[in-house]
Amino acid sequence: MLKTKAFYDNLKSIIFFLSFSFSSLIFAQADNYQRYKEGLEGKSGVERLKYAEERVTDLFSSSPILAEKILKDAIRDANIQQDTLFLINFHRTLGGLQHHLAQFESATRNLNLSISLAKKARKPLELAKSKINLSSVFLYTRQYDLAIDYLNESIEVFKETDDKKTLGIAYSNLANMYGEKGDLSKAIEYGKISINVQQEAGDTKNLAISHMNLGSVYSRQSKFNEASVELNRASELFSSLNVKLELIFLYLEYSKMYQRQEAYSEASAFGNLALEMARNENSLDFQIKAFNQLGLIDYQQQKYESSLEYLKSQMILQDSLYKSLHAKQIRETSAVYGVFEAENKAQILRSEVEREKSLFWLIFIVALCILILLCGMVFLWFRLRAKNKVLFEQSKKNIAPIKTQENLNQEEHEKYRALYESIIEQFEEKKIYLDSTLTMGVLSDIVNSNSNYVSKSINAFFGSNFNSLINYYRVNEAKRLIEKGALDTYTMESIASKCGFTSLSVFNRSFKKETGITPTYFNKSILACMPDN
């Protein structure tokens, strides 16, 4: 509870800070756009396009919506001037910006326009750059083969130039693409190449990222020594650059590596370190990733209560991040369009807000359903675990239950109980149920009674018939053998025969009727509970 309270206090501080920051954003953005328009005055031709390019570079990270508006203005200007080179560059930059904003369809459209223009203008270097950018979009849309083709084409172009930095980025992207595709051997091959090229180019930041990505691939292959070497190298480089967000990402990779080794204390330590740094940097996105990682670690350790706490924290932050980004987008867009088209754009914005509200509630409901489903799964898991525990105890004791029957008089009760105890003695001590030819008549002869009395005593004290009683013991015997690892030596059919069943189908049916699960699932649940697993 203290941990949750501390988290909420921290969250309130973050939301307050964001609200305070955004309160003046609308005026700042309007001022920025107005200064941009004033800066264009007195400029003509290429000077206008260069000025727009400089402003976009300055605003790309800090004010993406404003940068997007300037880019669209610049594209119209470049079309009027028929400046193909600037058009290629502006469409490529706009596509990259929209990719950054997760607008993948718009990003693909603008990057394809850039590629088309570069082909017509016969600009192979510009074409290669645009293909590299588009391949990054394909990574998110899972079009891996097309992305790989684009990257290979771009690499062949940049091999003929001195632009080692772009070549290193292309190789790094190619390694990532193979990693996402699942071809880890090629991911390692191209990861090493990208490292060599980036070392030649002196590109320290991308070199560190390549070491980190290569370490991640080694970790996925369970090559933990190699993974540690690469991640440590990335740590040294990031530390020399004094970058924070990349270090957070690196600590999460360390955490995943130790998690795969089941070194949960180290995994949790790096996860918490990433969370602390993300809080210091006010990065809600990385806080979400850290909570997710910590939740997975606790879930693997069967710490379901704390795992759910991390999940709830993650969902709360996702909601906060969504609202913050949404508010920022509204304010920036209002500021940009408020200079010349306030009334018209405000109406469009109101419609977008309503759609976003509907989308938010849809996401909230889906997330709530997922949380309820997860809680239900955890509840069912505990129920199944408790049931299996009872089944294991019964399989060890192998004693059929005795039920008191109130409809028997004293004399009948004593007579049938004595007979039932005699039957159980034959089952418990002599295990006559292992004989597949055992019938009601044979059992009656063994206990010196008749079939009618034997049937009544079983019905009275076991609560079912002869077949249910014999299957009860046979199934318990099968569970005992499976628990002792008999499946390492025998087949399931052989075990069924040893326990007195005449066929595998009868065995499976009886086993599921008694336990609620199949013999195969029962064996898997035992293996899952073993310490080595």
Side-chain angles (χ1 to χ4, degrees):
M1 292 298 294
L2 290 175
K3 179 179 178 181
T4 304
K5 185 178 184 302
F7 163 72
Y8 278 109
D9 290 342
N10 187 54
L11 181 60
K12 288 176 183 177
S13 300
I14 293 172
I15 293 173
F16 176 79
F17 171 76
L18 292 172
S19 301
F20 178 78
S21 300
F22 293 148
S23 62
S24 60
L25 185 59
I26 185 168
F27 303 105
Q29 296 306 317
D31 187 53
N32 282 337
Y33 189 68
Q34 184 62 44
R35 283 204 303 271
Y36 164 71
K37 299 296 287 186
E38 289 172 356
L40 286 176
E41 294 176 5
K43 292 182 174 61
S44 60
V46 176
E47 286 183 344
R48 290 174 61 88
L49 301 179
K50 286 183 177 179
Y51 179 71
E53 188 177 50
E54 291 170 1
R55 295 300 298 136
V56 167
T57 301
D58 294 336
L59 296 168
F60 191 99
S61 299
S62 59
S63 299
I65 303 299
L66 180 57
E68 184 181 23
K69 172 62 178 170
I70 293 174
L71 274 168
K72 289 178 179 178
D73 290 350
I75 286 171
R76 284 195 294 269
D77 207 349
N79 267 316
I80 293 171
Q81 297 183 41
Q82 296 184 343
D83 193 316
T84 303
L85 193 58
F86 270 104
L87 269 177
I88 294 169
N89 183 43
F90 286 150
H91 276 295
R92 181 169 61 239
T93 305
L94 181 57
L97 181 64
Q98 289 167 336
H99 175 206
H100 177 68
L101 295 171
Q103 300 171 6
F104 298 119
E105 290 184 6
S106 299
T108 301
R109 183 170 59 253
N110 277 293
L111 288 167
N112 276 323
L113 279 171
S114 177
I115 288 171
S116 177
L117 289 167
K119 284 180 180 178
K120 289 179 181 178
R122 296 183 180 180
K123 301 285 185 180
L125 281 177
E126 299 301 322
L127 176 62
K129 289 178 183 178
S130 298
K131 285 185 174 181
I132 290 174
N133 282 22
L134 185 54
S135 71
S136 297
V137 179
F138 288 155
L139 176 64
Y140 285 88
T141 57
R142 301 182 183 278
Q143 296 172 271
Y144 301 128
D145 291 332
L146 187 56
I148 288 169
D149 289 340
Y150 274 17
L151 285 168
N152 281 322
E153 291 171 10
S154 302
I155 285 169
E156 291 304 317
V157 172
F158 280 102
K159 279 182 179 178
E160 305 300 322
T161 71
D162 295 326
D163 192 350
K164 298 294 183 183
K165 181 176 181 179
T166 306
L167 180 61
I169 292 171
Y171 273 124
S172 181
N173 288 354
L174 187 58
N176 288 339
M177 210 65 65
Y178 277 117
E180 289 297 322
K181 190 180 178 182
D183 191 342
L184 301 184
S185 59
K186 285 197 173 182
I188 290 172
E189 175 187 349
Y190 287 107
K192 290 179 177 179
I193 294 174
S194 70
I195 288 171
N196 291 334
V197 173
Q198 285 159 345
Q199 283 176 336
E200 291 179 18
D203 187 1
T204 306
K205 184 175 180 179
N206 283 311
L207 175 61
I209 292 171
S210 293
H211 277 294
M212 180 174 65
N213 291 339
L214 184 56
S216 176
V217 175
Y218 276 133
S219 175
R220 288 166 61 188
Q221 284 190 323
S222 298
K223 296 180 179 179
F224 300 118
N225 289 334
E226 293 88 339
S228 295
V229 170
E230 297 299 330
L231 294 179
N232 290 338
R233 181 58 180 146
S235 178
E236 293 172 4
L237 293 169
F238 282 140
S239 298
S240 68
L241 294 170
N242 194 29
V243 290
K244 301 297 184 183
L245 295 181
E246 287 80 4
L247 269 176
I248 297 171
F249 200 97
L250 176 64
Y251 290 147
L252 289 173
E253 287 300 327
Y254 271 118
S255 180
K256 291 174 185 177
M257 180 185 71
Y258 284 116
Q259 180 189 0
R260 293 186 179 107
Q261 298 178 72
E262 298 184 357
Y264 296 120
S265 60
E266 292 85 352
S268 296
F270 276 103
N272 281 305
L273 182 58
L275 178 60
E276 182 181 357
M277 287 189 65
R279 284 171 172 167
N280 291 337
E281 294 301 312
N282 288 327
S283 172
L284 295 183
D285 185 49
F286 276 110
Q287 286 183 57
I288 290 167
K289 287 181 172 65
F291 275 126
N292 178 263
Q293 175 63 11
L294 290 168
L296 290 175
I297 293 168
D298 279 2
Y299 183 82
Q300 283 191 344
Q301 297 177 84
Q302 299 183 359
K303 297 179 180 178
Y304 298 111
E305 185 175 351
S306 58
S307 180
L308 282 172
E309 284 297 317
Y310 283 127
L311 176 62
K312 286 190 286 186
S313 300
Q314 176 189 345
M315 291 178 66
I316 291 168
L317 274 183
Q318 283 173 329
D319 178 43
S320 177
L321 179 62
Y322 171 82
K323 289 179 178 178
S324 300
L325 292 176
H326 182 64
K328 182 178 181 181
Q329 184 174 359
I330 290 173
R331 286 166 171 79
E332 286 190 352
T333 306
S334 299
V336 170
Y337 289 99
V339 179
F340 297 109
E341 309 168 71
E343 191 60 38
N344 184 40
K345 296 301 178 181
Q347 182 60 41
I348 295 172
L349 193 60
R350 279 193 289 270
S351 300
E352 290 178 353
V353 169
E354 290 303 318
R355 284 197 298 271
E356 293 294 341
K357 282 182 179 178
S358 301
L359 179 61
F360 166 74
W361 282 112
L362 177 62
I363 292 172
F364 176 78
I365 291 170
V366 170
L368 183 61
C369 291
I370 291 172
L371 180 60
I372 292 170
L373 179 61
L374 181 61
C375 292
M377 290 173 64
V378 172
F379 174 74
L380 289 175
W381 184 89
F382 278 109
R383 285 287 301 273
L384 181 60
R385 185 180 179 90
K387 183 178 179 181
N388 282 342
K389 185 176 180 181
V390 172
L391 290 174
F392 292 158
E393 292 299 324
Q394 287 183 358
S395 69
K396 293 173 184 175
K397 296 177 181 177
N398 203 23
I399 298 174
I402 297 178
K403 299 185 177 180
T404 302
Q405 299 296 313
E406 296 179 358
N407 59 343
L408 297 177
N409 60 40
Q410 184 66 28
E411 183 181 351
E412 289 176 330
H413 185 277
E414 293 299 329
K415 179 177 68 174
Y416 286 126
R417 182 182 178 90
L419 179 56
Y420 181 71
E421 288 176 351
S422 177
I423 293 169
I424 295 303
E425 182 181 352
Q426 295 295 325
F427 275 61
E428 293 290 336
E429 296 182 5
K430 297 184 180 180
K431 296 189 176 183
I432 60 174
Y433 56 84
L434 297 178
D435 183 356
S436 61
T437 63
L438 181 65
T439 62
M440 177 80 81
V442 173
L443 177 60
S444 300
D445 291 340
I446 293 174
V447 296
N448 298 318
S449 184
N450 61 53
S451 297
N452 186 38
Y453 284 173
V454 168
S455 178
K456 284 184 177 180
S457 69
I458 292 173
N459 287 336
F461 291 97
F462 184 67
S464 190
N465 57 29
F466 167 76
N467 287 332
S468 295
L469 177 63
I470 199 169
N471 284 338
Y472 175 85
Y473 274 94
R474 286 172 177 172
V475 167
N476 276 326
E477 179 66 16
K479 290 193 293 181
R480 186 184 68 80
L481 293 174
I482 292 171
E483 281 185 296
K484 288 188 174 182
L487 282 173
D488 294 340
T489 307
Y490 301 101
T491 64
M492 193 68 80
E493 189 171 6
S494 298
I495 290 175
S497 178
K498 284 178 178 292
C499 295
F501 289 99
T502 55
S503 70
L504 182 60
S505 60
V506 173
F507 170 59
N508 285 330
R509 190 163 55 250
S510 300
F511 196 101
K512 188 168 185 179
K513 182 179 179 181
E514 289 293 332
T515 66
I517 57 177
T518 63
T520 303
Y521 186 83
F522 180 78
N523 181 52
K524 287 180 179 178
S525 68
I526 292 171
L527 293 175
C529 294
M530 293 175 66
D532 291 339
N533 290 290

